[in-house]
Amino acid sequence: MTQPTNALAHADYPPAQTVEDFTANLAAVQHRIAQACERAGRDAGSVRLLPVSKTVDAARVRLSYEAGIRYLGENKVQEAYSKWEALSDLPDLRWSVIGHLQTNKAKLVARFASEFQALDSLRVAEELDRRLQAEGRALDVFVQINTSGEASKYGLAPEDAAAFVQALPAFQSLRVKGLMTLALFASDAARVRPCFVRLRELRDTLRQTAPAGIDLAELSMGMSGDFELAIEEGATVVRVGQAIYGSRALPDSHYWPATGKPEN
Ligand SMILES: *Cc1c(COP(=O)(O)O)cnc(C)c1O
């Protein structure tokens, strides 16, 4: 095994404008995933890359599809829904909603999404389940946990997760896959890593009492700047935007302000 990651690179990523750019960026990210897996003694096939296309217009998303992307993460429902409509000629392109959901938008998610990674309230679970049954659809879901303790992050407090998971079998259209978190934004791995450790340890604890049919095999954690660390700590899904599409014009503080929760 080689050295674990200590300093996190918050690199400046040039925007991908061609299919070739996307092919190269995907290869670079897959290479980073493979190296992190090797350090951790894990099989590279045990980590799924979920490309995140928020703020990227439908035309560039189409180029990324041509480079092989078939599953996309989006944090805003309305934005994702618009792209789903614009790209409806690509039936094998699937969508994962990875941002906070208000109950009044559950109807849209039930219509087009294959996965929802930010479940943190029973009201949303109930509304999604009701809408999914009306659509005759099911949805893969991840329970979002706030592992950093920051007020700006959504997600359940770790101590509330066990009771929450016990309630989930009531929602038959929701296929519970695991847990999701956003780590602290910091360039010091020593402050970021504990968030990932916390999610894995919580998952291991929850598994001992989880109801039948609730498997919690998946851990969705890690983004462009910190996914190697997350893989070292057990991530099975990494959500990567900027390292594939290019740096976003707006800083992360726009999406996760330091004070209060962002509106979605
Ligand atoms: C934007 C976003 C990501 C990806 O972040 P990048 O810095 O673009 O890799 C991951 N998870 C969530 C919830 C996001 O909103």
Side-chain angles (χ1 to χ4, degrees):
M1 278 217 287
T2 47
Q3 283 298 307
T5 312
N6 289 317
L8 302 177
H10 289 282
D12 204 13
Y13 300 102
Q17 307 283 17
T18 64
V19 177
E20 290 70 31
D21 289 345
F22 282 110
T23 303
N25 289 356
L26 284 167
V29 170
Q30 293 290 5
H31 181 67
R32 285 172 60 188
I33 291 174
Q35 285 185 317
C37 284
E38 194 176 319
R39 276 195 299 276
R42 300 181 55 191
D43 178 353
S46 65
V47 178
R48 165 163 69 109
L49 169 62
L50 177 63
V52 175
S53 52
K54 69 177 181 231
T55 75
V56 178
D57 63 32
R60 285 177 67 227
V61 171
R62 187 179 291 278
L63 295 178
S64 71
Y65 174 91
E66 287 173 32
I69 286 174
R70 292 295 179 272
Y71 219 133
L72 283 172
E74 287 275 347
N75 72 328
K76 296 197 175 179
V77 177
Q78 194 64 56
E79 180 182 340
Y81 188 77
S82 302
K83 289 178 205 175
W84 171 72
E85 283 189 311
L87 299 168
S88 59
D89 59 312
L90 309 176
D92 60 344
L93 182 56
R94 299 200 295 158
W95 299 86
S96 176
V97 174
I98 60 176
H100 179 71
L101 181 62
Q102 293 170 327
T103 46
N104 62 2
K105 291 183 185 152
K107 183 179 179 172
L108 281 187
V109 172
R111 194 172 301 159
F112 81 98
S114 297
E115 184 175 86
F116 174 52
Q117 293 205 359
L119 184 64
D120 64 359
S121 95
L122 291 179
R123 276 185 56 227
V124 167
E126 204 173 307
E127 188 61 13
L128 275 175
D129 192 47
R130 196 166 73 80
R131 297 292 185 175
L132 286 160
Q133 290 194 19
E135 299 276 346
R137 300 185 73 236
L139 190 65
D140 291 346
V141 300
F142 289 61
V143 177
Q144 184 175 354
I145 306 292
N146 183 342
T147 53
S148 69
E150 293 168 293
S152 61
K153 301 275 168 63
Y154 284 100
L156 294 170
E159 59 271 25
D160 296 335
F164 186 81
V165 165
Q166 289 300 323
L168 295 179
F171 310 111
Q172 291 182 1
S173 304
L174 302 184
R175 296 186 294 233
V176 182
K177 296 292 177 185
L179 305 181
M180 177 275 228
T181 202
L182 281 157
L184 199 74
F185 290 114
S187 53
D188 178 8
R191 298 177 62 214
V192 176
R193 190 186 294 275
C195 298
F196 299 140
V197 171
R198 210 163 287 145
L199 195 72
R200 185 192 64 230
E201 291 182 347
L202 177 65
R203 189 279 305 273
D204 293 345
T205 304
L206 293 176
R207 266 186 148 172
Q208 294 168 14
T209 54
I214 307 263
D215 177 38
L216 303 178
E218 306 281 344
L219 291 175
S220 174
M221 52 189 198
M223 314 175 19
S224 293
D226 60 16
F227 71 78
E228 283 103 333
L229 270 190
I231 288 171
E232 288 168 15
E233 298 304 337
T236 65
V237 180
V238 293
R239 310 178 306 267
V240 179
Q242 299 182 84
I244 296 172
Y245 288 93
S247 297
R248 279 183 295 276
L250 294 166
D252 286 337
S253 57
H254 171 78
Y255 301 96
W256 302 282
T259 53
K261 293 182 167 62
E263 280 293 312
N264 263 0

